[in-house]
Amino acid sequence: MATENIGRTLLVATAVALGCSAMVSLAIHYLRPIQDAYAQLERNRTVLAAAGELPVELSDRQVVTGYLELDIRLVDMTRGIFVDAAPVGKVHTYDHWALEEGSPLLLAPEGEPAPHQPTLTPRYVPVYLVWKGQTLHRLVLPVHGKGMWSTIYAYLALQGDLSTIAALHVYRHGETPGIGDRIEDPRWLSTWAGKRVYDDAGRSRFSLTKNASDSPYSVDLITGASVTSEALGNIVRFWMGPQAYGPLLQALRETKEIR
């Protein structure tokens, strides 16, 4: 009799476990599109903020509308030029950060990777142009790389001269709460605005240092979070350099042929 009771108990426990697993799997399956939609909405909101197109709190519908109105171009990182969206389909929904390892759209670094350089970089990257009439007002560039504990994803906006930082907005990271996450502090991020990445000769000069307020090319490290803030600075330096956006930006500054 005792054996029979133990058997029934195990059977019921197994049935409950399987039932719960099935419900969790179904919930994940049906909620995944909703989660993906909210993630894309948050990305769109961050892009608009970097573009300077988010002066007030917008509804979700307004965020989507504003994002779709942006002039989005696809950059071929192997050639440093704009190309049409054929390789990736619809450029407005293309997420180069969601590419899985093994994708032919990912590139391995040549030689020894730079500090905080991603292990793999996308071949095609969407960038966002903001116009005021016929004049380029801002160019928003996605950047990402290794932080202290996680990959940091952000959007860097350059002014129309393609040398001066207009804004930096951190989109996603997994740095230490209360320490590394201070890279999201709006007061610190506001100090990036107006800093120059390149000098008049087109040389990259940007850095993060201590007591950088008097330098047109430097941003202060965050006291107590210097490792993560320096990592973010190195990420920006890499993406503004010759292995990433550098050739595109140089060509655009020289030719001014964007439209």
Side-chain angles (χ1 to χ4, degrees):
M1 193 69 174
T3 303
E4 183 179 354
N5 289 338
I6 293 174
R8 288 181 178 178
T9 301
L10 292 175
L11 181 62
V12 171
T14 301
V16 170
L18 291 173
C20 290
S21 297
M23 287 190 291
V24 170
S25 297
L26 286 172
I28 292 174
H29 175 75
Y30 285 107
L31 291 176
R32 176 75 65 176
I34 298 175
Q35 293 172 334
D36 291 344
Y38 274 111
Q40 185 170 346
L41 181 66
E42 186 59 29
R43 182 198 67 177
N44 296 352
R45 192 182 299 275
T46 307
V47 171
L48 287 178
E53 301 294 302
L54 200 67
V56 295
E57 188 67 25
L58 301 180
S59 67
D60 292 350
R61 183 182 296 274
Q62 289 172 316
V63 168
V64 173
T65 300
Y67 178 79
L68 292 176
E69 290 176 350
L70 289 174
D71 181 4
I72 306 179
R73 307 288 180 92
L74 195 68
V75 180
D76 184 341
M77 303 301 288
T78 64
R79 295 187 288 165
I81 61 173
F82 292 134
V83 295
D84 63 48
V88 300
K90 296 180 179 180
V91 69
H92 283 80
T93 57
Y94 169 57
D95 186 354
H96 67 292
W97 284 332
L99 296 174
E100 297 183 358
E101 189 170 346
S103 169
L105 299 181
L106 287 172
L107 302 171
E110 297 181 2
E112 187 68 21
H116 303 284
Q117 178 181 353
T119 304
L120 297 170
T121 56
R123 174 172 180 178
Y124 300 104
V125 177
V127 300
Y128 309 84
L129 287 73
V130 182
W131 300 91
K132 299 298 182 184
Q134 296 297 311
T135 302
L136 180 66
H137 178 61
R138 285 190 184 188
L139 176 63
V140 180
L141 306 168
V143 301
H144 73 282
K146 303 171 186 175
M148 184 173 182
W149 303 111
S150 69
T151 299
I152 299 173
Y153 302 88
Y155 288 94
L156 179 76
L158 297 179
Q159 295 180 11
D161 64 2
L162 303 179
S163 293
T164 306
I165 296 174
L168 176 69
H169 287 264
V170 176
Y171 167 55
R172 188 174 75 234
H173 68 85
E175 297 299 288
T176 307
I179 303 176
D181 65 358
R182 291 167 63 192
I183 59 173
E184 298 180 78
D185 185 346
R187 293 172 298 179
W188 180 69
L189 291 173
S190 69
T191 65
W192 287 64
K195 298 295 184 177
R196 299 192 63 191
V197 178
Y198 308 101
D199 61 20
D200 292 337
R203 293 173 300 216
S204 178
R205 299 277 301 278
F206 181 76
S207 66
L208 263 71
T209 61
K210 295 181 179 179
N211 302 317
S213 57
D214 294 334
S215 170
Y217 303 102
S218 300
V219 171
D220 281 316
L221 291 166
I222 300 176
T223 302
S226 58
V227 174
T228 300
S229 55
E230 185 176 20
L232 182 55
N234 285 332
I235 290 168
V236 169
R237 283 173 56 84
F238 166 73
W239 284 95
M240 296 298 102
Q243 293 179 282
Y245 296 121
L248 172 71
L249 295 173
Q250 181 177 352
L252 293 179
R253 284 194 299 270
E254 291 174 353
T255 66
K256 301 295 184 182
E257 294 181 3
I258 300 177
R259 286 270 190 196

